[in-house]
Amino acid sequence: MTDTTPPAIAVIGLGYVGLPLAVEFGKIRQTIGYDINSTRISELTEGIDKTQEATSAELKASKHLSFTSDVSGIANCNIYIVTVPTPIDEHKNPNLMPLILASRSLGQVIAKGDIVIYESTVYPGATEEVCIPELEAVSGLKYNEDFFAGYSPERINPGDKTHRLPSIIKVTSGSTPEIADQVDALYQEIITAGTHKASSIRVAEAAKVIENTQRDLNIALINELAMIFAKLDIDTEEVLEAAGTKWNFLPFRPGLVGGHCISVDPYYLTYKAQAIGYQPEVILAGRRINDGMGSYVAERVTKLMTRKRIHIVDSKILILGLTFKEDCPDLRNTRVIDIYNELIDYHTSIDVYDPWADKAEAESSYGIQLVEKLEQNQYDAIIVAVGHKQFKAMDPSTLKNLCKKDHVIFDIKYVYPKEFVDARL
C-alpha cells in the first residue's frame, strides 16, 4: 500500500516570519518549529509568543505543531523551510552568517529526496551561491540529484492584523521545474490568496529585494520633500493630502525608516550590484536620506527649542516610542535610536516611554531604561516618534500637561492635530 502521509515540515527560525508559517502548516500536517533559542522554544511550548504574531489560541489550534531547539529533532522531516534573519553589519554589508549557520545545521540532517526552501531575504544568487554549497559540504549530498531547493520570499508585515500570511500572495520557485511545482503546491495548501510561481530561484530572490527597495525610495522622496517644505514653512501633510486627490498619486508619508526589511534589503541589492561592477546611484541616495532622518529630527527639535530660548544642555526630553513601527514590539534596527543618540550628544536628559517594547530588550540592545509612567510638568520637549494606538488615544491636553511652561512638541507620525504641536515632520 502506498504511504499517503504528507511529508513532515521543519521551519528553521521562529521569529516574525517563521512562527506564523509553522502555525499555518501545523494546522494541516506534521510540522516542527526549530530555533536555537531554547527560551523561545519553552515559551512557545507554553503557548506564549512575545512577538505577538500568534495568540495562545492560534498556537493551540495548530494541532500538528511541535517545537524543539535540538537539530536532531528535525532529522525525520522531508521539507525544511529556512526563515532566519539576514541583517547587515556595521559597514552596511550583508551579514549572511545566520543563513550559513542554518544551512550547516541542516546539512547534518537532510537526506536524499529532501527539499530545502529559503524564505530569508537575500541578493539574487545567494541561495545557490552561498547556501547550497554549505548544504552539500556538510551533508555529502549533491544538489539537484540527492536533494533540492526552493525559494519563497517572506512577506510578513509585523504587527499587521489585516494582512496575514494566508491572505498575502506568495511568490514561489524551485531548483528544477518539478520541484518548483511541488513548492508551489505546498504553499497553496495554506495561502488562500494564491501563489505566483517564478521561473527561477534568482527571479524570486530579485523580486523580494526590490519590493522593499521600491518602498524605501518612495519614502526617501517624501522625506526629502518634507525637508524642503519645512524650509518653505509649508505643512507637508497638507501638501500630500492635496496631491493625493489625484488618482495615481502614491500615499507615502515621511518618517523614520527602520526595521529588518525596508532599511536593510536595499543594501543586499546594492552589495550585489557593486560586486558585479555596477555602482547604484538612486538606491544609495535614498538610503542616505532615510538613514539621516534621525539626525534631521534632532536638529529641528533643538532649533525649535533655541527659538523658544529653552536651554538645550541639561534639558529634559521625552521620546514617545522606541519600536521600529507602531503597535509592534519589534525593536530591531529601530531608527528612533538615532534621535536619542544625537540628542544625548547635546548633554540632554532623555526619557523614553514605549508600552509595546520589552524593557529588558531595550536595555540590552540599546542601553535604554524605559520609563514606566509619565509625570506632569517634567519636559522641555516631547518627540512623538512612533504612532502607537496608546499615543493616538492620548488627549493632546494630556500631552501638554507633561511639559513645562515653555516647551516644544515635535510630532513625527502626525498623531496629533497640527495646532497642538510645534512642528510635524
Side-chain angles (χ1 to χ4, degrees):
M1 182 178 292
T2 303
D3 185 4
T4 58
T5 303
I9 296 174
V11 178
I12 319 303
L14 298 174
Y16 287 88
V17 175
L19 182 61
L21 196 67
V23 167
E24 291 301 323
F25 276 121
K27 294 176 181 178
I28 59 175
R29 62 163 78 194
Q30 182 187 354
T31 303
I32 304 174
Y34 168 78
D35 200 290
I36 59 174
N37 186 338
S38 58
T39 301
R40 173 76 167 153
I41 294 300
S42 298
E43 290 171 349
L44 291 173
T45 302
E46 294 172 4
I48 301 169
D49 171 30
K50 285 190 173 180
T51 70
Q52 301 185 38
E53 290 299 305
T55 64
S56 295
E58 288 171 331
L59 288 169
K60 187 176 181 180
S62 190
K63 298 183 182 300
H64 307 289
L65 175 61
S66 59
F67 302 101
T68 184
S69 58
D70 184 351
V71 72
S72 64
I74 59 174
N76 293 325
C77 294
N78 313 104
I79 298 172
Y80 298 88
I81 305 178
V82 181
T83 63
V84 298
T86 45
I88 53 176
D89 63 21
E90 65 273 18
H91 304 296
K92 303 190 186 304
N93 291 320
N95 175 9
L96 294 175
M97 191 50 64
L99 209 53
I100 291 170
L101 294 176
S103 298
R104 289 173 182 172
S105 295
L106 287 182
Q108 301 173 33
V109 296
I110 61 171
K112 287 190 175 183
D114 288 350
I115 302 174
V116 181
I117 304 168
Y118 290 88
E119 289 210 3
S120 307
T121 302
V122 292
Y123 53 77
T127 298
E128 292 173 299
E129 295 167 8
V130 177
C131 302
I132 297 304
E134 297 290 344
L135 291 171
E136 287 184 317
V138 177
S139 68
L141 301 175
K142 190 167 179 59
Y143 178 48
N144 277 343
E145 290 184 14
D146 300 321
F147 74 95
F148 305 89
Y151 184 80
S152 181
E154 60 90 3
R155 281 177 164 171
I156 294 294
N157 186 24
D160 189 337
K161 302 307 179 185
T162 301
H163 301 96
R164 308 286 284 173
L165 175 65
S167 63
I168 303 172
I169 294 174
K170 202 85 164 71
V171 174
T172 65
S173 65
S175 55
T176 70
E178 295 76 21
I179 295 301
D181 289 340
Q182 290 185 43
V183 171
D184 193 66
L186 175 72
Y187 281 105
Q188 285 183 21
E189 295 180 9
I190 63 168
I191 306 298
T192 57
T195 60
H196 176 94
K197 185 171 61 175
S199 62
S200 69
I201 287 176
R202 286 165 59 88
V203 168
E205 290 169 326
K208 169 57 182 176
V209 81
I210 71 164
E211 288 176 14
N212 287 325
T213 299
Q214 183 187 65
R215 285 185 57 79
D216 191 46
L217 283 170
N218 276 295
I219 298 170
L221 171 62
I222 302 302
N223 277 336
E224 187 165 53
L225 292 174
M227 294 184 221
I228 295 170
F229 295 145
K231 289 183 176 295
L232 294 172
D233 196 25
I234 299 174
D235 187 272
T236 301
E237 179 68 5
E238 289 186 14
V239 174
L240 294 175
E241 286 177 352
T245 59
K246 191 180 182 201
W247 73 91
N248 60 353
F249 187 83
L250 300 177
F252 286 91
R253 289 296 184 269
L256 304 174
V257 183
H260 56 97
C261 289
I262 299 178
S263 62
V264 172
D265 296 356
Y267 287 121
Y268 274 74
L269 184 57
T270 57
Y271 170 85
K272 185 64 175 180
Q274 290 167 331
I276 60 173
Y278 180 81
Q279 179 60 31
E281 302 290 346
V282 175
I283 298 172
L284 288 175
R287 280 282 73 236
R288 285 192 295 272
I289 290 171
N290 287 342
D291 278 346
M293 289 308 292
S295 296
Y296 172 75
V297 169
E299 180 184 1
R300 281 198 64 188
V301 170
T302 54
K303 284 184 177 180
L304 288 167
M305 293 172 69
T306 300
R307 287 175 190 168
K308 289 192 172 186
R309 292 181 169 81
I310 300 172
H311 195 52
I312 296 171
V313 175
D314 295 329
S315 63
K316 192 166 185 180
I317 298 174
L318 171 65
I319 297 178
L320 291 177
L322 181 61
T323 62
F324 91 89
K325 64 178 293 187
E326 65 275 6
D327 303 334
C328 173
D330 196 348
L331 287 171
R332 288 177 296 172
N333 200 34
T334 175
R335 300 285 32 109
V336 179
I337 193 64
D338 297 338
I339 303 173
Y340 179 91
N341 289 336
E342 193 78 17
L343 291 173
I344 284 291
D345 285 345
Y346 285 94
H347 301 286
T348 61
S349 173
I350 303 177
D351 284 348
V352 181
Y353 176 73
D354 192 319
W356 283 84
D358 182 85
K359 294 178 177 60
E361 185 181 357
E363 185 164 8
S364 63
S365 298
Y366 301 107
I368 292 176
Q369 293 184 331
L370 297 175
V371 296
E372 296 190 14
K373 71 175 187 174
L374 301 173
E375 298 181 1
Q376 295 186 357
N377 305 316
Q378 291 293 307
Y379 300 105
D380 298 290
I382 294 179
I383 301 171
V384 185
V386 187
H388 291 317
K389 60 184 179 183
Q390 289 90 340
F391 303 152
K392 292 177 180 177
M394 187 185 298
D395 189 271
S397 61
T398 302
L399 192 70
K400 284 186 176 292
N401 288 339
L402 299 174
C403 300
K404 298 175 183 177
K405 181 180 178 181
D406 294 319
H407 62 269
V408 166
I409 298 178
F410 191 92
D411 188 357
I412 295 175
K413 299 298 292 182
Y414 296 81
V415 172
Y416 303 103
K418 66 176 184 178
E419 60 266 23
F420 287 97
V421 301
D422 293 273
R424 306 190 293 186
L425 188 59

